[in-house]
Amino acid sequence: MTAPTHASARSEGPGWVPQPGVSEPSVGMNVELDTGDMVLNLGPQHPATHGTLRLVIRLDGERVLTADPVIGYMHRGYEKLTEFRTYPQVTTLINRIDWLSSFANEVPFMDAAERLMGIEAPPRAQWIRTTLTELSRIATFLLFLGEMGLQVGALTPAFYGFRDREHVLNLIEAATGGRFHPNFNRIGGLKDDLPWGWIAETRATMKIVLDACDQFEDLVLGNEIFGARTRGIGIIPSDVGTAYGVSGSNLRASGVDWDLRRDARPYLAYPDLDFKVWTHPDGDSYSRYWVRLQETREAARMVLQCLEGMPAGPIMAKVPRIIKVPEGEVWVETENPLGQMAYYVVSKGATGPFRVKIRSASFSNVSILPWLLQGVFVPDVITILASLYFILGDIDR
Amino acid sequence: MPPKIKPPGLLKGLGVTLKTMLKPAVTVQYPHEKEEPAPRARGVIALKEENCTVCMLCGRSCPDWCIYIEGHKEQRPPRREGGRPRSVSVLDRFDIDYALCMYCGICVEVCPFDALFWSPEYEYSEFSIANLLHDKARLGEWMESVPEPEPLEAGAESKKK
């Protein structure tokens, strides 16, 4: 219960009763306006939060004093659930961590299980995995490229983003059977081979994606209003970003030349592919958009390379019918669309994992928010949230 | 070289809008027109009842245990004269609760006798959540919509059963 102000005390009470030692409250022009802090609750259901992130923002006028992200509204307890599932069943769960790039989530877990079992997926399976991972990267980024425009006030790019992403999702559906939750990886390979005509269709779609990137560059990046809203907003210096554990495109936009596809232990077919890691020195919201736009193009080029060099052969290694993973621990990290994704799998020789630690990219990317949002204006909060690009399922797991 | 004149972003945006306006729509009016899902799409699970041997593998491998199976053994007359009577498993109940199903397809994959299939059919939404529990008769009806296995991409090895 807040103390009643003088004005309300006056309207409710019998009127001002003179008391000894208390001067009559002055009403009128000569009173100094109270500029106390205001607490603004952004979310949990704000469209800019990609799910249910709540930000408790303390404002002084238009400026943010402090911002506290409150997470956990979508906590589904996947780390615990995996302990009661077998390895094939876990794939279904980890699809739903980052639901925009589900296929990329499966890859590190399968890699971990395969390394513990000492088997390796055949080359064709590796190349198909690479293709689908890059396709899910394109799908994620196309949505970002449209949505970022929406968050700063341009409605139209969001429709184009969704429209072009649909082509990529159709490809993923044609190959795996699921648009968002492919569940296509199996320990030792893949569930099925590609359907007839898929490669030709993908080639045609990549042309659409590259055209879409040109359009986004022209329409959104070239727009003066977009530049004014994003340039110099939410600057992450490279050392601060590294200290907070920011990864992926957000860190590359701060000028850190670090990409796990190139720098980590070689996985999938990436050592055989020729690709460039894009960085931008500025570290602001504009450069994050720019880096993701370039990475979408690069991913489309990588998909084309994968289709060109796709080896023939089996898609499944020899795996026992009932999968039991021998005792051991393994840490596998990959470059997911949102950043560094890793699993620490502990196996005790049973059909299911003993413990799985999931290191998801968005959790660390969001941890920089209290630092990043200090002193910015309220409309820029939305710009920064959109440009960091997190998925709530990836934060809360 | 003359400096390239850049049109302002507003004009550029209006140009894109005009271009898009002249293109045909990419959306379809759903209840009247329908998009054909991919043949592999995981829409609904169909049950071929005569292939089921009540081995319970699908029910046990389901990640959220949404398959309910009950069965009993029956004695059948021997195949040959003077042989022992055969005991056969008979399926009493096979329900899939689509309100719980995660559409992972593990049940279809583990089935050793090819009794479960994926169908790309998707129009089975209900007003009551209880109606999403499909019994074996309803699951059998989906068998009509199961597509033939499609050919694979060049370079693929044919599946060995």
Side-chain angles (χ1 to χ4, degrees):
Chain A
M1 175 82 191
T2 52
T5 58
H6 297 311
S8 67
R10 278 210 151 175
S11 59
E12 284 164 17
W16 175 252
V17 185
Q19 282 164 22
V22 179
S23 60
E24 189 179 354
S26 57
V27 181
M29 299 299 287
N30 52 358
V31 111
E32 204 167 306
L33 282 175
D34 185 24
T35 59
D37 305 342
M38 177 188 147
V39 176
L40 178 72
N41 237 323
L42 191 77
Q45 280 154 343
H46 192 274
T49 58
H50 302 279
T52 46
L53 174 75
R54 179 173 156 221
L55 278 176
V56 180
I57 301 175
R58 217 150 57 79
L59 293 171
D60 180 16
E62 277 278 304
R63 272 191 193 276
V64 175
L65 288 177
T66 60
D68 291 315
V70 182
I71 62 168
Y73 286 92
M74 262 191 93
H75 181 62
R76 294 155 292 175
Y78 280 157
E79 291 187 7
K80 196 71 192 166
L81 284 176
T82 50
E83 294 170 18
F84 300 96
R85 300 288 191 283
T86 62
Y87 281 92
Q89 291 175 345
V90 169
T91 328
T92 319
L93 294 179
I94 57 182
N95 265 178
R96 285 148 173 88
I97 293 175
D98 166 13
W99 50 73
L100 288 184
S101 54
S102 312
F103 191 86
N105 289 341
E106 296 174 10
V107 171
F109 186 80
M110 288 299 131
D111 205 9
E114 284 168 8
R115 269 167 74 180
L116 281 174
M117 289 180 77
I119 52 174
E120 202 174 331
R124 187 176 171 86
Q126 302 275 19
W127 281 73
I128 294 175
R129 277 183 188 178
T130 318
T131 316
L132 285 167
T133 308
E134 291 308 314
L135 279 180
S136 66
R137 191 184 308 275
I138 294 171
T140 314
F141 284 173
L142 276 179
L143 185 64
F144 166 79
L145 295 175
E147 181 125 353
M148 177 79 187
L150 178 71
Q151 307 291 2
V152 297
L155 188 64
T156 326
F159 294 120
Y160 297 154
F162 274 108
R163 180 193 66 192
D164 298 327
R165 186 182 72 144
E166 204 65 12
H167 298 294
V168 182
L169 288 182
N170 283 342
L171 284 178
I172 295 177
E173 187 185 24
T176 68
R179 295 160 65 76
F180 279 92
H181 306 305
N183 198 21
F184 196 51
N185 277 299
R186 297 291 177 268
I187 291 172
L190 295 169
K191 180 185 157 210
D192 215 343
D193 211 302
L194 301 172
W196 177 253
W198 194 82
I199 288 182
E201 209 180 314
T202 312
R203 281 217 177 89
T205 309
M206 285 309 109
K207 208 177 159 303
I208 298 176
V209 169
L210 288 171
D211 286 348
C213 288
D214 290 342
Q215 194 186 44
F216 278 120
E217 182 152 35
D218 205 31
L219 184 69
V220 184
L221 266 189
N223 190 296
E224 298 87 356
I225 303 171
F226 183 81
R229 284 293 306 272
T230 53
R231 271 189 197 276
I233 303 294
I235 297 178
I236 304 178
S238 59
D239 52 335
V240 177
T242 321
Y244 271 99
V246 175
S247 56
S249 323
N250 290 329
L251 195 62
R252 282 194 286 279
S254 299
V256 180
D257 192 10
W258 185 59
D259 191 321
L260 287 166
R261 286 174 288 179
R262 187 195 59 193
D263 303 330
R265 166 190 175 274
Y267 70 102
L268 298 187
Y270 288 118
D272 301 329
L273 296 181
D274 173 36
F275 63 99
K276 182 172 159 35
V277 177
W278 292 88
T279 56
H280 196 285
D282 288 358
D284 56 358
S285 302
Y286 185 87
S287 61
R288 289 195 273 279
Y289 192 94
W290 186 87
V291 163
R292 288 212 177 84
L293 181 71
Q294 303 303 333
E295 282 183 2
T296 315
R297 282 195 183 131
E298 204 62 47
R301 284 187 209 116
M302 281 157 89
V303 168
L304 289 175
Q305 284 180 42
C306 282
L307 299 179
E308 205 64 47
M310 184 86 67
I315 48 152
M316 199 67 188
K318 275 207 164 59
V319 187
R321 199 166 175 84
I322 293 173
I323 288 166
K324 277 197 177 171
V325 175
E327 252 180 72
E329 305 177 5
V330 70
W331 165 266
V332 174
E333 51 186 10
T334 55
E335 181 75 30
N336 268 32
L338 297 177
Q340 178 198 23
M341 173 105 187
Y343 293 93
Y344 188 77
V345 182
V346 181
S347 175
K348 295 266 179 183
T351 52
F354 177 74
R355 172 86 171 89
V356 176
K357 157 85 184 112
I358 305 166
R359 193 268 188 217
S360 56
S362 298
F363 181 78
S364 306
N365 287 354
V366 159
S367 70
I368 201 174
L369 276 181
W371 182 89
L372 194 58
L373 291 181
Q374 270 173 12
V376 302
F377 288 112
V378 176
D380 296 341
V381 172
I382 306 300
T383 312
I384 292 169
L385 285 183
S387 73
L388 273 178
Y389 199 44
F390 45 84
I391 305 292
L392 253 288
D394 204 29
I395 299 174
D396 291 341
R397 305 191 287 275
Chain B
M1 198 176 140
K4 214 171 145 191
I5 301 161
K6 276 181 75 182
L10 181 68
L11 286 184
K12 226 187 284 177
L14 284 173
V16 173
T17 307
L18 191 72
K19 237 188 274 173
T20 314
M21 208 170 77
L22 299 174
K23 280 182 198 162
V26 290
T27 49
V28 294
Q29 300 296 321
Y30 164 62
H32 312 294
E33 305 166 53
K34 276 167 197 167
E35 277 194 332
E36 194 71 23
R40 268 188 200 183
R42 299 199 295 263
V44 68
I45 297 165
L47 170 71
K48 201 171 183 182
E49 205 188 320
E50 57 267 33
N51 281 4
C52 182
T53 59
V54 205
C55 69
M56 311 264 180
L57 263 182
C58 48
R60 269 190 296 164
S61 62
C62 177
D64 45 7
W65 305 288
C66 69
I67 305 180
Y68 307 98
I69 311 174
E70 279 165 26
H72 68 275
K73 297 250 183 203
E74 258 178 26
Q75 295 290 323
R76 293 274 165 85
R79 279 216 182 87
R80 282 176 289 121
E81 200 78 17
R84 276 196 292 174
R86 293 177 298 141
S87 98
V88 189
S89 302
V90 182
L91 188 65
D92 292 332
R93 178 188 181 206
F94 191 103
D95 295 353
I96 296 182
D97 192 348
Y98 281 109
L100 290 178
C101 179
M102 297 211 288
Y103 298 87
C104 62
I106 292 177
C107 51
V108 178
E109 221 165 303
V110 296
C111 182
F113 300 103
D114 280 347
L116 292 171
F117 297 90
W118 273 116
S119 151
E121 201 59 50
Y122 55 90
E123 291 177 311
Y124 54 95
S125 48
E126 300 279 356
F127 284 105
S128 163
I129 199 165
N131 296 338
L132 280 173
L133 186 85
H134 290 197
D135 59 1
K136 64 179 180 183
R138 184 122 190 247
L139 290 169
E141 284 167 23
W142 295 120
M143 273 310 290
E144 285 173 24
S145 55
V146 173
E148 289 290 307
E150 40 176 1
L152 297 178
E153 189 60 90
E157 281 191 355
S158 60
K159 228 181 189 177
K160 291 177 211 100
K161 269 282 167 189

